[in-house]
Amino acid sequence: MIVILTFFALVFGLFCGLSGTESEIIRFISKNSDMILYILMFSVGISIGMHNGILKKIRQYHLKILIIPLGITAGSILGGLLCSLILKLPLNQGAAVASGMGWYSLAGVTISRLGGAELGSIAFMSNLMREFFSFFLIPIIAAKLNYCTCIAPAAATSEDTTLPVLLKYTDEETVVLSVLNGMLCSFFVPILITFFFHI
Amino acid sequence: MKIFIIMGIGILIGRFLMIGKLKKWNERLAMLCTLLLIFSMGVMLGQKENFISELSSLGLKSFLFFLIPTVVSIIFVYILTRRFIDKKDTKGNDK
């Protein structure tokens, strides 16, 4: 159900954007998307807070907590290198595009500036697809693999937009791991993109 | 930073003030916010100049740059979490 609603929300949004439909509600939503994100984070915070003993459980992980962001980062970079080989692009460019890890706005803008408009567009769209397809992949991974792996497609977006889907299909413990993962991946994104353009 | 402060306030409210009955409403609020964010993302994309032409010319390359890094990340995290994170109830049903 959630996946269908997500799909329709995107399609309806695209339709409104492409057709140039102007209405107070659409303008209000677009203008206040930051505020909506804050309400979302507040609500996610409440869900975490209502779950007793969760922070104690998380503390038990110690350094193991780094496994998920490191796995996602390494997997993304390796995937980017494989794409470069397939598409015959310079390896550093492929690694930089994949280092966006779903943060399409930042990756698109930064890579456009560092690697040109075409590569910037690829970075924007591929990372946007990563965020969007995460909504579909998370329920499948939760059912077939394990809860922690649900964070992998979401990558840097696991601390905001994809978090409610993770909350719905996994548990509160995984949600806290998602937030930490999102913070770390988001921290790595600009560093890795810049790094790959300077080697 | 602002986001984490807001989330922190939410955690405190959830911990000390929330009652069980409101859990469902809170989940609905989160879902509504997500749908509104995705809708506004669609509007933003639709309004972006050349979006459709870029999608048709660079769509396949972009799709590959989404697919392979995502799949490799999933494989890596699955192997690592199976090996190092012994978390009970890691596979389950849709709530």
Side-chain angles (χ1 to χ4, degrees):
Chain A
M1 185 64 180
I2 188 173
V3 174
I4 298 165
L5 287 174
T6 305
F7 179 74
F8 279 114
L10 183 76
V11 171
F12 187 48
L14 273 173
F15 172 77
C16 291
L18 285 167
S19 63
T21 312
E22 290 282 322
S23 89
E24 268 314 310
I25 299 171
I26 295 173
R27 258 201 300 273
F28 180 81
I29 293 170
S30 305
K31 235 181 169 177
N32 292 289
S33 58
D34 279 354
M35 189 51 72
I36 298 169
L37 182 65
Y38 295 149
I39 297 170
L40 173 63
M41 297 316 287
F42 179 69
S43 164
V44 168
I46 289 175
S47 294
I48 296 170
M50 285 178 84
H51 193 84
N52 285 337
I54 186 153
L55 294 175
K56 198 177 160 194
K57 262 190 196 170
I58 296 299
R59 273 199 292 272
Q60 290 167 355
Y61 282 118
H62 292 294
L63 279 177
K64 281 183 186 175
I65 222 158
L66 295 173
I67 282 171
I68 300 171
L70 288 178
I72 291 172
T73 308
S76 299
I77 294 170
L78 182 64
L81 294 173
L82 290 171
C83 287
S84 303
L85 294 174
I86 296 167
L87 298 170
K88 297 184 174 49
L89 281 171
L91 289 174
N92 67 324
Q93 290 189 4
V97 170
S99 297
M101 292 192 276
W103 193 354
Y104 59 87
S105 51
L106 182 85
V109 172
T110 319
I111 294 176
S112 288
R113 196 165 46 80
L114 296 170
E118 187 177 314
L119 200 66
S121 293
I122 294 175
F124 178 86
M125 283 194 288
S126 59
N127 284 293
L128 179 71
M129 286 178 191
R130 183 159 189 168
E131 175 176 311
F132 180 66
F133 283 108
S134 295
F135 291 103
F136 301 88
L137 290 169
I138 289 165
I140 299 169
I141 296 170
K144 304 277 177 198
L145 301 176
N146 62 35
Y147 283 172
C148 287
T149 310
C150 293
I151 304 169
T157 70
S158 70
E159 62 175 334
D160 42 57
T161 40
T162 51
L163 197 55
V165 190
L166 286 157
L167 186 63
K168 173 126 181 102
Y169 287 98
T170 65
D171 56 10
E172 279 78 4
E173 199 179 325
T174 312
V175 167
V176 176
L177 291 174
S178 306
V179 174
L180 293 168
N181 172 76
M183 284 165 67
L184 288 166
C185 285
S186 301
F187 176 72
F188 292 148
V189 172
I191 296 171
L192 287 171
I193 291 175
T194 316
F195 171 75
F196 285 121
F197 272 102
H198 288 94
I199 51 169
Chain B
M1 194 60 201
K2 214 173 179 179
I3 271 184
F4 300 115
I5 295 170
I6 291 167
M7 199 177 189
I9 297 168
I11 291 175
L12 289 176
I13 290 175
R15 181 81 187 86
F16 298 109
L17 299 176
M18 288 294 278
I19 49 167
K21 275 184 188 173
L22 292 174
K23 196 178 174 198
K24 214 94 221 114
W25 284 103
N26 186 48
E27 281 174 13
R28 284 179 191 153
L29 176 70
M31 203 56 239
L32 177 70
C33 289
T34 310
L35 293 176
L36 287 176
L37 280 176
I38 290 165
F39 172 76
S40 72
M41 184 170 90
V43 174
M44 183 266 290
L45 285 176
Q47 286 171 342
K48 193 174 182 269
E49 269 180 66
N50 309 325
F51 174 67
I52 295 292
S53 63
E54 273 181 13
L55 188 65
S56 53
S57 63
L58 301 172
L60 190 66
K61 280 185 187 174
S62 304
F63 184 74
L64 212 61
F65 266 109
F66 138 69
L67 186 69
I68 299 178
T70 305
V71 169
V72 180
S73 295
I74 291 169
I75 295 168
F76 274 26
V77 174
Y78 182 59
I79 295 168
L80 287 169
T81 50
R82 281 209 54 169
R83 173 78 182 79
F84 295 106
I85 297 184
D86 178 28
K87 185 162 160 303
K88 281 177 195 164
D89 190 30
T90 52
K91 190 174 157 183
N93 306 314
D94 179 0
K95 275 193 242 173

